[in-house]
């Protein structure tokens, strides 16, 4: 199953000017996801808006939660299960 994660933090909590802590937290999420058994499809950041994005493939939401451990106290994360648009359209066509 695919999950889309959006993580935001307040500007006053930003680690942009603290590269060592940035690397130890946000920079370690991809490895933490892999350690939790999730596969990172991609990860991105919009630094000016203090927003990070990941698309992760995992069997269970618990794997995603474990992968977010390095940043759990750094802001707010929203995790949404997502599906392939083409597959969804085909399934709806077949169902009607």
């Amino acid at each position: 199953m695919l999950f889309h994660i959006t993580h935001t933090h307040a500007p006053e909590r930003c680690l942009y000017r603290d590269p060592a802590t940035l690397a130890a937290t946000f920079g370690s999420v991809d490895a933490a996801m892999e350690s939790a058994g999730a596969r990172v499809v991609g990860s991105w950041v919009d630094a000016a808006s203090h927003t990070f994005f990941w698309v992760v493939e995992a069997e269970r939401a618990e794997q995603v939660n474990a992968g977010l451990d390095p940043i759990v106290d750094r802001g707010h994360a929203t995790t949404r299960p997502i599906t392939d648009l083409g597959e969804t359209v085909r399934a709806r066509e077949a169902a009607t």
Side-chain angles (χ1 to χ4, degrees), residues 9-81:
H9 59 268
E12 56 274 5
R13 298 211 51 194
C14 189
L15 299 174
Y16 184 79
R17 301 201 190 284
D18 182 357
T21 305
L22 179 65
T25 55
F26 290 94
S28 67
V29 170
D30 287 14
M33 287 289 180
E34 298 289 339
S35 292
R39 182 179 73 85
V40 177
V41 175
S43 54
W44 305 269
V45 64
D46 177 356
S49 73
H50 307 279
T51 306
F52 292 77
F53 307 93
W54 287 268
V55 173
V56 175
E57 184 175 22
E59 293 179 18
R60 299 178 331 277
E62 291 81 9
Q63 293 169 294
V64 176
N65 292 338
L68 291 172
D69 186 66
I71 59 170
V72 72
D73 61 349
R74 296 287 175 173
H76 175 78
T78 302
T79 304
R80 293 184 173 97

